[in-house]
Amino acid sequence: MTATATPPISQTRRFPDDRGYFGGYGGVFIPETLHHAVAELAEAYREARADPAFAAQLAELARDYIGRPTPLQFAPRLTAAGGGAQIWLKREDLAHTGAHKINNAIGQCLLALRMGKKRIIAETGAGQHGVATATAAAKFGLPCEVFMGEEDMRRQRPNVLRMRMMGATVTGVGDGSRTLKDATNAALRDWMGSSADTHYIIGSVVGPHPFPMIVRDFQAVIGHESIAACRDQIGRLPDTVVAVVGGGSNASGMFYPFASDPGCDGVALVGVEPGGTGTAPGQHAAALTHGSPGVLHGALSYVMQNSDGQTADVHSVSAGLDYPGIGPEHSCWKDSGRVSYASVTDSEALAAFELICRLEGILPALEPSHALAHVMKLAPTLPADHVVLMNLCGRGDKDLDEVIRLLGHAETA
Ligand SMILES: Cc1ncc(COP(=O)(O)O)c(C=O)c1O
């Protein structure tokens, strides 16, 4: 399947169109049984978006419950180690529950309440979206079931315990590679039979329209706050903005306010994909770098697939990046050239994980460690007055056991 011709950047600012397309990507590719649920959600979101009371409720929760705005922070020792550009960090790891995922989970729980839904389901990979959803569901008194691949339950065990502590049921998924793709399949299967009383809180800018738009809009607080804080603390916009791309939600939330404003056209936007252990199929999860347009989980976007169009196996050291697809808006940004995409390997991400612990006293998640690895390649090539802003989208408590196992640190084990 191929996407349509690439639109100019000026047109991409207004996407999605009313059919849910970002240029040639996105849309609604779902079984008949889900059409009503998706249409109901689109209508509820259209109304909520126009309702000042909804915006006020979300803003209050963002401030008082999530702890927003999250800080923008200069990283002096990383900057010195890079020996070039200034490195600034947007500290989404300091949001309640330790990652950006809570921005979307709270917003979608409010939508679920508006629609009168009585039950919440979610998929999770790294467990951060599962924790955020279990947390939001507990806050609003909604029962919650989270689907999680059995391999991810092993790698991200602390988050399984956190979800259960919040009262959620964590349902292990033993199909396929037992990771995020399989958990998403299980959640969609549940929703097909339960959508009358259940809302599915999807965790990234993926899935059928309107999910990619809704998740992007709830995450755009990251970019809006960053623009305001850069103007306030640095006196100008950053030169380059870097974020890791799994399904693409933290990057969308950071990039969208820059990409949608012509006043920010001079800011370079860079997404970093998981390069795994090599470039051969099955060794990485870099859908934009190595994939091709196809349909996965209800939308047309870049996907890792074999020559028959079957979704291919992928790999990343990071459970939150171990996914064969990517949000459709990223596919559009890639083709239009507004965002450029790079990839870094598992071992480069692990080295960056250790570096920021030692130099800044910050324990990052493995996901943003990928973005940092790229920043540490970029910074030495740029002058000292160049400002690189990186989205530090989650904290790494969940990854500690796995990182210690992989690095083989006898002294810390
Ligand atoms: C901390 C963190 N960052 C990034 C991601 C990747 O997701 P996305 O690309 O949607 O931000 C995850 C996914 O679980 C995550 O937990």
Side-chain angles (χ1 to χ4, degrees):
M1 189 164 312
T2 50
T4 51
T6 306
I9 286 173
S10 57
Q11 235 179 60
T12 68
R13 299 191 212 288
R14 292 189 298 274
F15 287 149
D17 64 21
D18 44 9
R19 289 167 48 249
Y21 277 87
F22 302 83
Y25 302 100
V28 182
F29 295 81
I30 50 173
E32 195 66 33
T33 41
L34 276 181
H35 272 276
H36 175 73
V38 163
E40 183 189 22
L41 176 61
E43 181 55 21
Y45 184 59
R46 197 188 59 73
E47 282 174 12
R49 213 179 185 185
D51 180 357
F54 182 82
Q57 195 182 9
L58 191 58
E60 190 181 312
L61 284 160
R63 187 193 61 212
D64 301 342
Y65 188 67
I66 301 179
R68 306 208 69 87
T70 57
L72 172 75
Q73 190 176 82
F74 180 54
R77 300 189 69 218
L78 280 175
T79 298
Q86 297 168 36
I87 300 170
W88 290 73
L89 306 171
K90 175 66 171 162
R91 298 288 310 271
E92 284 299 295
D93 59 317
L94 296 179
H96 181 43
T97 68
H100 64 293
K101 299 285 181 184
I102 191 76
N103 303 322
N104 171 49
I106 290 283
Q108 286 209 50
C109 252
L110 291 182
L111 278 181
L113 291 172
R114 258 179 110 90
M115 289 187 288
K117 301 295 179 186
K118 302 275 182 280
R119 172 177 172 255
I120 296 295
I121 56 170
E123 87 296 335
T124 198
Q128 286 300 129
H129 172 58
V131 166
T133 303
T135 300
K139 173 148 184 67
F140 296 114
L142 293 164
C144 175
E145 180 169 359
V146 180
F147 296 90
M148 187 169 193
E150 287 172 353
E151 166 62 7
D152 291 340
M153 288 177 77
R154 182 195 67 76
R155 324 192 244 190
Q156 309 277 247
R157 183 154 173 76
N159 276 346
V160 176
L161 303 179
R162 288 170 80 196
M163 286 184 265
R164 289 187 175 142
M165 194 54 84
M166 297 287 165
T169 303
V170 181
T171 301
V173 179
D175 307 331
S177 51
R178 300 176 299 129
T179 57
L180 182 53
K181 160 179 71 68
D182 313 294
T184 309
N185 288 336
L188 280 167
R189 261 196 313 272
D190 180 296
W191 204 36
M192 272 188 247
S194 66
S195 62
D197 73 345
T198 297
H199 178 55
Y200 173 22
I201 302 191
I202 209 162
S204 193
V205 285
V206 298
H209 177 70
F211 281 117
M213 171 180 70
I214 291 177
V215 179
R216 176 200 71 190
D217 290 354
F218 288 145
Q219 294 293 1
V221 66
I222 303 171
H224 288 301
E225 284 178 9
S226 295
I227 290 173
C230 282
R231 289 204 163 111
D232 188 35
Q233 292 172 237
I234 311 174
R236 65 179 179 89
L237 291 172
D239 299 293
T240 302
V241 179
V242 182
V244 68
V245 184
S249 69
N250 85 88
S252 273
M254 177 57 107
F255 294 164
Y256 180 67
F258 288 93
S260 58
D261 178 354
C264 298
D265 277 356
V267 179
L269 305 174
V270 184
V272 182
E273 293 199 290
T277 54
T279 54
Q283 292 185 329
H284 59 83
L288 288 167
T289 309
H290 298 293
S292 54
V295 171
L296 177 67
H297 296 143
L300 174 60
S301 194
Y302 276 78
V303 178
M304 294 303 308
Q305 54 191 333
N306 66 21
S307 51
D308 296 330
Q310 294 300 314
T311 310
D313 283 344
V314 289
H315 160 81
S316 171
V317 67
S318 160
L321 306 179
D322 203 347
Y323 183 69
I326 178 76
E329 191 161 26
H330 285 285
S331 295
C332 176
W333 282 334
K334 173 192 159 78
D335 285 5
S336 71
R338 178 61 188 98
V339 181
S340 58
Y341 294 88
S343 66
V344 307
T345 64
D346 287 354
S347 43
E348 288 170 333
L350 283 164
F353 182 105
E354 266 198 303
L355 188 72
I356 187 170
C357 287
R358 304 278 160 99
L359 292 186
E360 298 290 346
I362 295 172
L363 181 71
L366 271 173
E367 290 82 9
S369 300
H370 285 70
L372 181 62
H374 188 69
V375 166
M376 296 313 291
K377 289 186 202 175
L378 212 55
T381 69
L382 297 165
D385 62 351
H386 190 105
V387 172
V388 176
L389 166 63
M390 188 200 111
N391 193 24
L392 181 50
C393 56
R395 72 174 190 229
D397 316 43
K398 69 183 178 63
D399 293 312
L400 205 46
D401 287 350
E402 187 69 352
V403 168
I404 287 168
R405 186 179 75 81
L406 291 167
L407 291 174
H409 273 318
E411 77 276 16
T412 43

